[in-house]
């Protein structure tokens, strides 16, 4: 039977065999919610990079630049890490290079997999349907917060496990616990995530609207897909 | 307010500030259940060591030796990793050196803390009462399985958080999720843990009796406490 595993942090991804599998990277607050929104809103390409310098350097190749550290937009970049920024008309058909505290690292650490796709509540069912049709083993890679566990990413993992559990075996304890956590939170998803430590850290940045958007299930039917280091529409 | 955090794996412990805090190490299947049983049964000292060689070398210092790898007793050592072995009369008043796949590593990685104590379901309330009386910040350090997340250790963390939550702030998402997981499993604790991947791995070793013992809450009122690298009765 096909297997689904959940990696709770990029600090644990080396413990997983990625070859032959599809990795779903998730960073709900807010990197993969931004990527889903961007690709759904017509951004042609999104290139995730690890450092501010790499991101800045891509300006000369025609990229708009997005940079966030510790929840804030970094000075000198076009945008930060709000999904609403990724909806702006000026980015339609254009390229964005992005670097964030957690999400971009999780992507760059997943590239040994057969495929890397981007998951968020915004495209939950689209991700699930893609995985059901592909019929490969799956790892859900939670970006976490600075290497540690984060609730909102685990809840997304649980939501995806719930969609898949009829066709996949739960391959580890983390997938079981993520599913349990999601089931107990699903009727109060926004409130639960607002109570997470990450949301509390972001409180001072006044982004409640962002968080509400990031908790919206199936707003888009778009699948961002990593090809040669760049996210495009599948 | 005093704070409680949960570290889900020894691979994440470097992300935590240990100084000034009490670390509770837990490896339910079976290292810390063995340690609790041993100290409660009259073993004078238990010395956790990382490698088989270190463990073997302690024979000349009058230690009995206990060694487990991948769930099995290692050839040439006195006992393996069954809590029932630690009850044997011949160990009363004696010293045991022990090395296991996960639990001893979690202990050796915790020694920057002010205090390191041993937690298991067997001494849950004793651990909780000690922590309430000490009034320091707490980290529950889950030994996991070969670096990755394990359900049974997280459930113990949740059980301990439940005992402490009225007097301590939940300091991270992991403590919140551990509590949620425990609350949803507590009425079927044994069955839930028998369904964990670790218990399934151990199935072939025919240790159902061990697992049942490890899931017994408050069988002992003993607190194993690390002093100069050796566990003694507090």
């Amino acid at each position: 039977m096909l297997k689904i595993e959940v990696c709770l942090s990029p600090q644990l991804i080396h413990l997983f065999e990625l070859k032959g599998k599809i990795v779903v990277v998730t960073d709900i607050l807010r990197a993969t919610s931004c990527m889903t929104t961007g690709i759904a809103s017509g951004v042609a390409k999104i290139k995730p990079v690890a450092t501010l310098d790499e991101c800045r350097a891509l300006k000369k190749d025609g990229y708009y630049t997005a940079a966030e550290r510790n929840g804030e937009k970094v000075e000198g970049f076009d945008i930060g890490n709000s999904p609403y920024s990724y909806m702006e008309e000026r980015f339609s058909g254009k390229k964005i290079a992005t670097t964030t505290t957690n999400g971009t690292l999780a992507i760059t650490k997943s590239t040994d997999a057969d495929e890397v796709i981007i998951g968020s509540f915004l495209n939950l069912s689209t991700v699930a349907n893609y995985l059901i049709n592909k019929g490969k083993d799956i790892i859900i890679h939670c970006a976490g917060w600075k290497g540690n566990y984060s609730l909102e990413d685990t809840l997304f993992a649980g939501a995806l496990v719930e969609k898949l559990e009829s066709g996949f075996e739960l391959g580890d304890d983390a997938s079981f616990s993520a599913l349990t956590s999601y089931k107990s939170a699903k009727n109060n998803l926004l409130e639960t995530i607002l109570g997470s430590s990450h949301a509390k850290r972001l409180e001072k940045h006044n982004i409640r609207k962002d968080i509400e958007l990031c908790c919206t299930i199936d707003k888009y039917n778009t699948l961002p897909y990593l090809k040669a280091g760049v996210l495009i529409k599948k």
Side-chain angles (χ1 to χ4, degrees), chain A residues 136-153:
Chain A
K136 282 194 177 187
D137 288 341
I138 299 161
I139 295 170
I140 307 173
H141 186 174
C142 299
W145 176 259
K146 295 190 175 180
N148 207 347
Y149 174 88
S150 86
L151 179 62
E152 67 280 5
D153 297 341

Side-chain angles (χ1 to χ4, degrees), chain A residues 26-33 119-121 152-153 156 193 214-215:
Chain A
T26 191
D27 182 2
I28 295 301
L29 296 178
R30 295 165 284 166
T32 64
S33 299
S120 64
F121 287 114
E152 67 280 5
D153 297 341
F156 169 77
I193 288 180
C214 295
C215 292

Side-chain angles (χ1 to χ4, degrees), chain A residues 14 19 134 145 156 169 179 211:
Chain A
H14 62 284
K19 284 198 203 327
K134 290 294 278 194
W145 176 259
F156 169 77
E169 177 195 355
L179 178 60
I211 297 176

